[in-house]
Amino acid sequence: MEEKTDVESQTQESSSALLFNRNLPVTLKFKDVVYKIKIQKLGGIFKKQQKSEEKIILNGITGSVFPGEMLAMLGPSGSGKTTLLTALGGRLGGKLSGTITFNGKPFSNSMKRNTGFVTQDDVMYPHLTVTETLVYTALLRLPGSITKEEKVTHAQAVITQLGLTKCKNSIIGDALLRGVSGGERKRVSIGQEMLINPSVLFLDEPTSGLDSTTAQRIVSTLWDLANGGRTVVMTIHQPSSRLFYMFHKVLLLSEGNTMYYGKGEEALDYFSSIGYAPSVTMNPSDFLLDLANGIVSGDSGEDQSTTKQALISAFRSNKAENFARWSTSWWQQFTVLLSRGLKERKHDSFSGLKIGQVLIVSFLTGLLWWKSDITHIQDETGLLFFYAGFWGFYPLFQAIFTFPQERMMLEKERASGMYRLSSYFMSRVVGDLPMELVLPTVFIIITYWMAGLKRTSKNFFLTLFSLLYNVLVSQGLGLAIGALVMDQKSATILGSVIMLSFLLAGGYYVQHVPAFISWIKYISTSNYTYKLLLISQYNSKDTYPCGEDKTCFVRDFPNVKTIGLNGKAVAVVALGIMLIGYRLIAYLALMRIGTKK
């Protein structure tokens, strides 16, 4: 048993050493940080006119954290501590002023790659296990110079360090899927940032919802990280006395103002020196939070406000690199994201419900169009248009939810500089191909032969190619709509309207379209797909029985004549432009919502 423990210890030390060796000490300084927001208020005689007022959330906050130090920001709800943490971590937009520097330089994309940020909300994929979650993060965020085996070892070391060994094979879970406990989930979230051994580590309420023993373990781990040369900044709510004295520095905030900044062990002496000493022995953090609320024994509400202003004024009168741009290569990011995405989404993509849905529609279609050969040309052309319509709608609505569902995860991981937007985007596009292409292929195999379409390999594969081409274009349209709207309900409505417009202008329902609206057919995926499907089945010399002892050319049949059996190259090129164009729109839209390339 001792031998096993020694081996595990050596593995963890080796892993930790490899991580720690690449760390560059960073000094964080912030001076006169001010943050304001605009609040809309009703005004005027009839209270219909809106007036905007500025509210100060942070009011001239100043401080510094050096390598090897751990700063804890305390304060009641609404004091501004989370806002300040977000500002220091380079994640706060809006009207922010003052200076925030890292080793004397402003926050940059390269600095972001070496900064860990643990949010209060733990956003993770529910179907992945603890080990898989941390391993995928390690593969994405650790440098390409470290082998895959070493990255896995890092992840296992963090699992051991955070006491996650017992649940390492348990899934994360969510509100609808039972997984690890809340405390374990929090530790996994912290572990994701600890993996990269960041020079600066920001944590928002890392002990929230945890028992005292687990909280002690996490803060001890963070203290070890700081002691190894990291710069650690956190917000924390009412830490125990044991935890309080582990903080190298404490920043006490009240209504966006600094009430105390300095060493944790000197906080009580400072307040005693200005006449605010605790009347009984108590937890220092409880005493500081009482002061931040303006609470002194026997104070009224008015006295509390006066007390806060007095403490803020007292403090004001007494106060006086270069990183690699990306940890891993584009290809490494792409392969890891692709692997993670396939593993996470296989439960949904290849669910029995979706497979069953397509199979039922396939057999129903085959039975409705059973042996509908060229003598039933009206039915055949109707089947081909149904191909274009069904496999325009289906992939559209599969893709339309892609980015809205992953918005929180994307914002979290991109803000941490975990990967390029392009590698994420391509992994999603490629990762969705199996589901997007396998099911329509099965659909064609079933319906093509049941419906009695031309029984030659050439015609079959041309039909299959046309359908799969349409699927990819419709998927791109869905991705673009989802990325532009980023709201599932609104995106669904918009997608329905667009696709119905394409179907109506597709050349099957209306053959004499008014000139002022005929332009829609030139942007209709259904129109070009229908043309390719017709060309895959018919040529200009094909005939069909159009009366007793009379044959007519297929090209003259109304549903075919409107579309025509020529212009194949134009249709292929038009769909190709859409295939690329829609995905480009989706990519640009993702950049627009707050992710940088």
Side-chain angles (χ1 to χ4, degrees):
M1 187 71 178
E2 291 180 0
E3 183 178 330
K4 182 179 179 181
T5 302
D6 291 341
V7 171
E8 290 179 348
S9 176
Q10 290 172 4
T11 301
Q12 182 174 340
E13 288 176 4
S14 176
S15 173
S16 299
L18 185 56
L19 276 171
F20 290 175
N21 285 341
R22 74 180 191 89
N23 179 267
L24 179 66
V26 171
T27 298
L28 167 62
K29 292 184 178 181
F30 47 102
K31 183 178 181 180
D32 297 327
V33 175
V34 176
Y35 181 65
K36 301 177 182 179
I37 60 172
K38 286 187 177 181
I39 301 177
Q40 299 292 334
K41 287 191 175 183
L42 294 177
I45 299 175
F46 300 102
K47 295 187 176 180
K48 291 183 178 180
Q49 299 175 349
Q50 284 193 345
K51 293 182 178 180
S52 61
E53 290 184 0
E54 278 193 338
K55 181 179 180 181
I56 299 176
I57 306 300
L58 299 175
N59 189 14
I61 312 299
T62 297
S64 61
V65 197
F66 296 93
E69 290 184 342
M70 180 164 57
L71 169 66
M73 296 190 288
L74 282 71
S77 298
S79 61
K81 56 185 186 294
T82 297
T83 303
L84 178 59
L85 187 79
T86 308
L88 297 179
R91 300 188 174 201
L92 189 64
K95 202 167 184 179
L96 180 68
S97 60
T99 58
I100 301 173
T101 61
F102 297 79
N103 285 346
K105 297 180 180 179
F107 189 80
S108 62
N109 285 333
S110 58
M111 183 67 233
K112 182 170 64 176
R113 310 288 183 268
N114 219 33
T115 298
F117 198 109
V118 181
T119 60
Q120 196 166 354
D121 297 322
D122 307 314
V123 183
M124 289 173 281
Y125 288 105
H127 291 96
L128 299 184
T129 65
V130 170
T131 299
E132 289 169 345
T133 299
L134 292 174
V135 166
Y136 280 125
T137 303
L139 293 175
L140 285 167
R141 299 193 70 177
L142 295 180
S145 58
I146 300 178
T147 66
K148 180 179 179 180
E149 291 73 19
E150 289 172 331
K151 293 180 180 181
V152 172
T153 302
H154 294 335
Q156 292 170 342
V158 170
I159 288 173
T160 302
Q161 191 175 23
L162 291 178
L164 294 168
T165 305
K166 291 183 179 179
C167 64
K168 66 179 181 180
N169 295 320
S170 301
I171 62 172
I172 298 298
D174 58 16
L176 302 176
L177 185 65
R178 186 172 182 179
V180 297
S181 68
E184 291 166 339
R185 186 182 178 91
K186 174 63 70 175
R187 279 180 278 164
V188 174
S189 184
I190 294 174
Q192 287 185 297
E193 302 301 323
M194 288 174 56
L195 275 168
I196 63 165
N197 182 38
S199 295
V200 184
L201 181 61
F202 297 100
L203 306 101
D204 191 10
E205 302 282 0
T207 61
S208 176
L210 305 181
D211 59 79
S212 59
T213 302
T214 305
Q216 172 72 21
R217 178 185 298 158
I218 288 176
V219 175
S220 295
T221 301
L222 297 174
W223 190 90
D224 290 337
L225 284 174
N227 199 43
R230 261 56 52 191
T231 303
V232 180
V233 183
M234 71 173 77
T235 64
I236 193 165
H237 184 69
Q238 288 187 305
S240 65
S241 299
R242 229 175 8 167
L243 297 185
F244 182 84
Y245 287 110
M246 294 179 70
F247 304 139
H248 300 97
K249 289 180 178 177
V250 170
L251 175 61
L252 180 64
L253 295 175
S254 177
E255 298 179 352
N257 295 280
T258 304
M259 197 170 275
Y260 174 76
Y261 168 71
K263 295 181 179 179
E265 65 268 21
E266 296 177 359
L268 294 184
D269 291 338
Y270 164 75
F271 285 110
S272 296
S273 69
I274 59 174
Y276 293 90
S279 56
V280 295
T281 303
M282 60 188 302
N283 182 344
S285 64
D286 291 339
F287 175 66
L288 295 186
L289 286 174
D290 283 346
L291 292 179
N293 282 304
I295 297 175
V296 179
S297 298
D299 276 357
S300 65
E302 184 178 350
D303 291 332
Q304 290 175 11
S305 177
T306 303
T307 300
K308 284 189 284 187
Q309 291 302 320
L311 288 169
I312 292 169
S313 298
F315 176 78
R316 287 177 177 171
S317 63
N318 285 303
K319 73 174 183 179
E321 348 182 294
N322 186 21
F323 300 106
R325 178 164 174 76
W326 300 102
S327 297
T328 52
S329 68
W330 188 96
W331 180 252
Q332 288 174 315
Q333 293 172 6
F334 169 79
T335 53
V336 174
L337 288 168
L338 179 62
S339 173
R340 185 182 73 174
L342 290 174
K343 192 171 188 66
E344 167 62 22
R345 295 193 299 278
K346 68 180 180 181
H347 307 279
D348 178 60
S349 297
F350 291 100
S351 66
L353 181 63
K354 288 186 178 178
I355 295 173
Q357 179 184 12
V358 171
L359 289 178
I360 291 172
V361 174
S362 299
F363 283 108
L364 181 60
T365 302
L367 292 173
L368 286 172
W369 274 277
W370 179 261
K371 302 300 181 184
S372 179
D373 58 23
I374 199 167
T375 60
H376 306 93
I377 189 169
Q378 174 67 41
D379 292 345
E380 271 197 353
T381 56
L383 172 62
L384 296 176
F385 193 76
F386 174 74
Y387 278 177
F390 180 74
W391 288 107
F393 264 104
Y394 193 86
L396 174 80
F397 286 105
Q398 294 299 310
I400 211 168
F401 302 122
T402 297
F403 298 125
Q405 287 178 338
E406 291 207 348
R407 180 173 186 169
M408 290 180 65
M409 182 66 69
L410 178 60
E411 288 178 345
K412 170 194 171 184
E413 294 182 340
R414 286 280 296 146
S416 298
M418 187 179 289
Y419 46 72
R420 299 167 175 85
L421 179 60
S422 57
S423 60
Y424 165 80
F425 185 80
M426 289 305 299
S427 73
R428 282 310 313 250
V429 171
V430 174
D432 288 338
L433 288 181
M435 184 63 185
E436 296 297 338
L437 300 183
V438 169
L439 288 183
T441 300
V442 172
F443 178 88
I444 282 291
I445 292 173
I446 294 173
T447 61
Y448 191 91
W449 308 111
M450 291 181 69
L453 296 174
K454 281 189 176 180
R455 296 178 178 273
T456 67
S457 58
K458 176 183 177 182
N459 293 110
F460 171 77
F461 284 111
L462 282 175
T463 303
L464 178 61
F465 166 79
S466 301
L467 190 71
L468 295 182
Y469 202 19
N470 177 51
V471 166
L472 293 177
V473 174
S474 297
Q475 181 199 36
L477 176 59
L479 293 173
I481 294 173
L484 284 167
V485 179
M486 275 298 177
D487 177 78
Q488 294 185 24
K489 184 176 180 180
S490 300
T492 303
I493 295 173
L494 179 60
S496 299
V497 171
I498 291 175
M499 189 51 67
L500 285 172
S501 301
F502 285 175
L503 284 175
L504 292 174
Y508 182 80
Y509 295 117
V510 185
Q511 297 169 19
H512 303 287
V513 182
F516 67 86
I517 202 172
S518 62
W519 59 268
I520 296 180
K521 69 180 181 181
Y522 297 111
I523 61 171
S524 169
T525 57
S526 303
N527 176 65
Y528 294 115
T529 304
Y530 186 36
K531 177 186 284 287
L532 291 179
L533 289 171
L534 289 174
I535 294 173
S536 71
Q537 286 298 305
Y538 311 118
N539 59 57
S540 59
K541 297 180 180 180
D542 283 343
T543 60
Y544 71 97
C546 56
E548 293 184 5
D549 301 324
K550 183 181 178 182
T551 59
C552 299
F553 285 109
V554 170
R555 65 174 183 264
D556 294 326
F557 184 72
N559 284 346
V560 177
K561 187 176 181 180
T562 305
I563 298 297
L565 296 178
N566 52 9
K568 179 180 178 180
V570 173
V572 171
V573 171
L575 288 175
I577 293 173
M578 293 180 187
L579 185 147
I580 297 172
Y582 287 145
R583 284 168 172 77
L584 181 60
I585 291 172
Y587 182 79
L588 294 175
L590 290 179
M591 296 177 66
R592 179 182 58 83
I593 64 170
T595 53
K596 295 182 180 180
K597 186 175 179 181

